[in-house]
Structure formats: C-alpha cells, structure tokens
Amino acid sequence: MYRKVWFWLVLLLVAYTLAGFFLLPWWLQRFVPEQLEQRMGWQAQVEEIKTNPFSMSLDIRTLTADDADGEQVIGFDRLFVDLGFWKLFTGVVGLQAIAIEEPFIRLDLLDDYSVNFARDWNEANPAATEPESSEEDTSTPPKLYFQQITINGGELLFRDFSKAESANFRISPLDLTLNDLATWQRDDTQSNYYLLAALGNQTIEWEGDLSINPLYSKGFIRVANIDHETLKHFLKPYLPYDLRGGNVSVSTNYELQLMDQLYLTTSEGELELEELAVALDQNREDVALKTGRLAVEKVRFGLTGRTAEIGMITVDALDLAMERGPDGAIDLLAPLQQEPGSESDEDAGDSSGPGFQWSMAGLELADSRVQWRDRQPETSAEIAVEQLALTLGRISHELGEPVRYQLQGTLAEGGSLGLDGQATLQPFTLEAGVTGSGVQLAGFEPYIREMANLDVRSGQLTVDGNLDLDGQQEPLTGTFSGTAEVAGLNLTLPDSDEPLLAWQTLRLAPLEYNVYPARLEIGTITLSEPAANVVRGGDGLHNLERIIRDSGAASDDADEPSEGNGGEPDFIFRIEQLLLEDGAVSYTDRTLEPSFTTTFDELNGTVAGISNVAPQQGKVSVRGRVDKVSELNFEGTLGTLGTDDVSRLSLAMKNGSLPNLSPYFGRYLGYGVDSGKLKVEMDYEIAGSRIDATNMIVMDRLELGQPVASDEAVGAPVKLGLALLRDRQGVIEIDLPISGNLDDPDFSVGKVVMRAFVNILAKAAASPFSVLGSVAELAGLSGEELSQVNFLAGEVALAEGEQAKLDALADALSERPALLLNIRGVVAPDADGLALMKQRLEEQNGGSLSDEAWEQARQEYQAGNRSLPPEALGNLASARGVWLRRQMLEEYDVAPEQLFLLDPVRDAIADDQGQVAVEFALDAR
C-alpha cells in the first residue's frame, strides 16, 4: 500500500518535473508567438524559455515582436519572473521578483491620437457585441503582491504622428525598481520605487513610496535638461511662438492621495530654464526673447487648499525685443490677444469655489536688456535699455498689500533711469522715487516729432523726484514733485542744418505736477545761455511757424480754452519766476534783398509771477543789447495769462544803427540807408488778444543811400517827407500809435509800424505844408495857409496879414535845413493889368485921376483899345518872386541854398478880393 503511494508520488513528481522543465517551456515558446499574432497581429520570436517548477520561476530570453509593417514593436533580452509559492496559501498571488533586461517598446501616437497597440488590437480583434449585464460586478479583485519589479537598460521609442511634423523620441536607458507593491490596503506599509529614464542628455528621475489601494504616492520627481526641440514638439499647438533654444529642469517633492477626493501637494519645487530663445515665428531670423538663466525656487502647491507659494524668481541676462507696428499692435503680445468669439476671461475664470491663494517671495532680474522699436511714429523709434536690473518684493493674492520694487537701467544712447518705491495692484497705487541722469533726448526724437517738427541734435535730461499715483477712485489722481534739468539742448528743423533753439541749461526747481485736476507749479525756471535763431524764409514763413505740425482742421471750440468748475481753466499753471542768463536771439529776413539780420544778446533778467489763474500780477525786467551796440530794456507787468487781464509792457532801445534797417527802407521807401541812429520807446497794453500801443521812434541824422528798385516802394517823394519830418538837429521824431487783434493772422506789430511810418512819409510828401502845422499854429494859421502869400493887385506888396505867413515859413525853413523853398512869381493879367494901367494914368495926370476918366480907361483896356507895355506884366511877376526871395534872405536870414526862384506864372487869376496869390513849393536836397 505504502509502495503504491510512493510510486504515484514519485511518478507525479517526475511528471511535474518533466512538464515544468520541458513541456511548459515548449508550449510557452509556441503559445506566446501564436497569441501575439492572434491578438495583436504581430510576428513574434522567442529564443528560449525556461521554467523551474520547484522555484516557481519563468525565464524568457530574447523575445522580439514585429507589427504588420515589419517594424519591431516590443522586445527584451530577458524576462525573469519568480512566483512566491507560499503566498498562494494566504489567497495572495505573490511575485517575489519580476526582472526585465533591456526591454524595448515602440509606442506610436497616431494622427487620430490613438496608439499603435490599440490599433493593432482592434485590427486583430474585430468588435463583437457582448450581452449587457444587468447586475453589477461586486466581486473582489484578486490580491496581487510584487516583492520586486526591476527594469534594467530599457528603451522606449516614442513616435508622434499626431502633428504636422512627426518626431521620434528614444528614451534609453530606462531603469525602474519597484519594491513591496500590493493591490490591497495595508496599514503603515507602502511600496517604494525608483525610476530613471534618459532621452539623450534629458533625464527623468522618480522615486518614492506607492500604494495602490487606496491610491497614495509620496516622493520626489525630477525632469532635467529637457531641450527646446522636445518642448517645441509638444508645446507647438499651444505656444504661439517659435522656440529656438533652451532647456528646462523641474524637480519637486510631492504627495498624492485619492480617497473621497483628490489630494495633491508639492513642496521644495524648483524650476531652472537656461539659454531660452524664442522667436515670433519661423520666418523671423532674430529671436524676440533670450535668457541666460531663469530659476524658481521653493515652489509649494496645494490642490485641495487651492494654494500656491513660489519662492524667489531669479532671471539673468534677459534679452527682450519688442516692436510696435503702424497699427499700434505690439508684436510680442499680438499672438496672445483674445480672438473674437473666444471665451472671455470672466467666463474662463468663473468658479463657485473659494478663491485661489498664491504668493511669490520676490523677483530678481539682473544684467538684462530690453529693445523697443516703434514703427507707429512717422519716423521709427529705437530705444534700448541695458544693464537692466529689477527687484520685486513679496507679492500675493492680497492685491491690496504694497509691493516693494526697484528698477535700474541705462540707455544705449546714453543716460540712466531708476525707479524705487512700492505699489499696490488693486486698487492701483504707486509710490516711486524717480531718477534720471544724462538721458539723451535724441533717442526720443521720433516721439518729439509727433508733436513738433524738430530734430534733436543734442540734449540731456536729468530728473529727480517722487511720483505718487492713486487709482482708488476715478479719475486717476497723483502728483510728481522734484526737479528737472535739460542741458546742452540743440534743436533744428528736420530739413535744415541751421540752428533753431539751443541752451546751456534749463533747470526747473522745485517742480510739482498734479494729475487731476491738472496743475503745474514751478518755483524757479533758470534758463542759461539760450540761443534762438528766427528766420523768415523767402516764402514769407518763419521757421518757428514750421515747428507746429499740421493736425488738420479743428473745430471752432478747439481754440477756446476749456474751463473747469468755478470758471478756472482745466489746466492750471504757476511759475514763480523765470531767470534769464546771457540769452541771445538772432533774426533774419530772407524776403528782403539783401537779407536783413539783427541780433539780441547779453539778455539777462527775470519774469516773475506767470500764471493763468487770477488774480495774478507778474513782472518783467530784461536787459540786453541789439547788434552788440544798442542798449535794450524790456519791462512791464503781466496780467493773468489766457484772460482779459491787462498786461502793460514797455520796450526801450537806444543807439540803434539805422543802416542795419537798410533792406526794409529799400523795400518800402525805394532807398537804402547810409547813416543814422535809432531810438525806440514802445508802450504796449495787451488785454486778451487786443493790443493797443504807442511807438515813439526817433531817428537821428538819417541819411538815405542809393536808390533801390522795389515794387513795394511808396510812390512819393520820400526825401521831401523826411526833410519835412527832420528838425534843425537832424532828428526825426514820430509817434506811431497802433491797435489790433493778435488772433488776426494778418496782424503783425512790426508790419503795422512800418506801414504807419511809410504812410506818414507819403502823406508828408503829398501835403508838405500840412506837416508844418505846428509852426503855422503859432501864428494862428493852418499848415496849408503857408503854401501861398497874397499880393495886392499891380504891386510888389503883400496884402494885409500876409507877413505873418512869411514869419512862420521862415521859422520852418530854419528848423529844417534840408528843406528847399521854391518861389514862383505870379501875375494875374486882368487884376494886375488894370492896377498897372491905373497907376500909369495917375502918374501921367500928376497923381490924380477922376472916376469918370478911370472908368473910361478901364473899359478901353478891357476892350483892347488901350494897352500896357509888353514887359509890364512879366516884370511884375518876376519882381514879386525876387522880392520874396530877398525878404527871406535879408529879413529872416534863411540860407541862400534853401531858396530857389522858378519861372513866373503869367496867367494867374486874382481872388474875389482882387488879390493875387504867389504859391510856394517845398522840396528836399
């Protein structure tokens, strides 16, 4: 009995041994390829399979499987499985060891986002309809235990065909160690694992503890040196830029648990990004963003608590290039703009859960550069900020907490800028200490040209102050207080090399500007060595007029200053004083031939109390020189600017050189100026745009030069007019009152004064005796009455009262040595003839003549029956002229060279009283 038992036991053992060592390997070596072909459509080969029925182990050597296209899908050099026999008695399928040596897996992501394994399965196993079970499967899954799983030297070939450009990623080596893994819940016991994978220099390292039921994992993961080509492939559908360079490394501790809800936390996270290079698109040669190194440390994240904490962010060698196009769009931001119809930020961020809490310890940006190119202005602007450094303090979801910041940078064109202070994001407030030193204004010329036609040849801005902005309420309010200075400024017109405006320094201190309501207050403006060059071109336009850009037609209201509450202007400004030091102004008029040029230099003085808010009484006091010889004094009071307050200004100049004005005299008078001095005293009253002025002009010893051909010259004897206006000392003194509207584009003070002077000369030349009115008035006469004297008929004797005219006329000639008196003797044939006839008859009759005899003789004379000697009337005319000349010479001491006799007039007519008038004519040398 016992022998039979042992026999069968031995026989069973032998059969078990033969089956385990020989039959099972033989069957598996055929079954595995068959199943792979049947289930997956793969052609598989197995070099060798060994089993050990006593140690419950399986050893498969060199398995390879190719898909229908003949490409290898999976393979390994060795698969070793050791089954734990004694675990079976506890209801647990335990595997003491699973070891895979140098496995190979080819994973293809197809264009429909399926994988090659699923495709091959579906092709080999057409879908079959399975009866739906009405009962839920309540069976307990089997208990599996893995004491150790190891993968050594593995290789994963991942091929991505889901995108326009396919890509291959070969991960090798792929090493995994997993210990003590169970599929059921165990108390205080988790498995541990370690995974290392590499894709070239790119590595993934993952280690920690793992529990399957419930799902729990805690450990450390690090992804290192992921290069830009890998990132570019996977991020291309979501990144609207072209990634040109860079590699990233990420590491963190984590804890993951899935029970009633997903619990995930990370800690001690780090991110490092090196040599990042991003271009706007594939067609651009230059990159828009580069970094040397970006590091983020101490990152913590809590999914359940909705918290995120970021440590310090450090950025080194950032190089950022941005461009604004003609449409105002910034190229770097344009791809991020939300397209029409897309989900709005409000919809995307709508959540009924608690708010997300986040914080960042700070940001440090160093040794960076920002390039800005702006093609929106008419002339493109290029500004580069180098050696840029930015430091931000802690910032969090508590947007009302202040954030400290500090920003420093230098401009490539020259100069440095800095901001230092704190800000809050919501509501927006900003406190900033603003510093700028040596900022070259030439770099900002395109923006200046948007407001004015100016070229900035040189100029440096220095600013130092505090800026405070407050956006807690609308509108934004804020102030800037500090100082500002512009040094070495040199401005020209864009198409000219001629200087326009320059100064050594312009300093504003203290300076305060209020954003709302708009208000500017300046303590002292110090303008040192300013130089302005005003040129009137051949087209009649001044170069200053060309500074203003033509902005097109404006509404009628645009010219009216707007006023705010209380009748005050929307923009208020006050300047306590302006100090002018050693200023100079040159003026050139090229409409004249030759051109006219004058200079004002050594201008020094003050302008105090400048404001557009009443009540305001300012003062002006400026002194200088004209043409380096004449003395200039400009003084007065200023009313409130922009109102109808009266400003009273006076300008005085003496010892001016009249020959400098020769081009103007040539144009309007037809003569140049050979010599003379000029003295000017001008008093102006300006109320709003209304101007009323008196101009006292004194010309000493003015001597005209050569004639000048001019179509604009007055058609009058200019020399006579000047001779009439000139006194004995050679001085011409003229008072020219003017008035007008400064808003009238045709109104010009200089033009009005010149026209008034020319009109006075023309009027004097046309009515020369009217100019002598002041002399005539002393004799109780009018100026025109001096133009003639009346003689008694037939006599060389003045009528009663006519001697006073000679007295006044002689005085006028004595006062005006350049004036010439032309005397033309006159005879009236009717009146003088009868008088001479009567005298002749009386002489013939012994001195008496009866009335009857005279009446008869008169009738005979008028009838032509009685006559005088032919020379009688001519002699009377000549005698009257000679007598008048002799009277002027002998009785009044008039210079002989001022008196001229003209050919007598023999056909004059006597007046109603029978008196004969001898008319004078005035002329000049």
Side-chain angles (χ1 to χ4, degrees), residues 80-148:
F80 177 78
V81 180
D82 187 1
L83 179 66
F85 176 75
W86 299 108
K87 287 282 187 180
L88 296 175
F89 293 98
T90 63
V92 176
V93 178
L95 298 173
Q96 291 182 342
I98 299 178
I100 306 177
E101 300 290 338
E102 298 186 10
F104 171 82
I105 299 176
R106 195 194 86 230
L107 180 65
D108 294 344
L109 180 62
L110 306 178
D111 54 6
D112 60 355
Y113 293 96
S114 63
V115 295
N116 57 333
F117 289 87
R119 178 200 61 189
D120 293 347
W121 172 270
N122 292 332
E123 290 178 355
N125 302 273
T129 304
E130 296 182 1
E132 296 183 1
S133 176
S134 58
E135 297 181 359
E136 296 182 359
D137 186 6
T138 58
S139 61
T140 303
K143 292 183 178 182
L144 300 177
Y145 172 76
F146 303 89
Q147 184 174 346
Q148 185 180 61

Side-chain angles (χ1 to χ4, degrees), residues 706-775:
Q706 295 297 320
V708 176
S710 173
D711 296 336
E712 299 181 50
V714 62
V718 174
K719 290 186 176 181
L720 173 58
L722 292 175
L724 290 165
L725 298 175
R726 188 182 293 117
D727 64 13
R728 176 179 290 275
Q729 285 74 35
V731 175
I732 299 175
E733 186 173 307
I734 304 175
D735 187 3
L736 298 176
I738 64 170
S739 61
N741 190 335
L742 295 175
D743 289 339
D744 185 353
D746 295 328
F747 178 79
S748 169
V749 173
K751 185 184 295 184
V752 170
V753 170
M754 195 65 193
R755 284 178 179 175
F757 175 63
V758 172
N759 290 338
I760 288 177
L761 288 181
K763 182 179 179 181
S767 303
F769 289 97
S770 65
V771 182
L772 307 179
S774 60
V775 179

Side-chain angles (χ1 to χ4, degrees), residues 562-572 574 612-614:
S562 59
E563 295 186 351
N565 296 331
E568 291 188 349
D570 288 341
F571 176 71
I572 297 173
R574 291 188 179 93
N612 64 341
V613 178

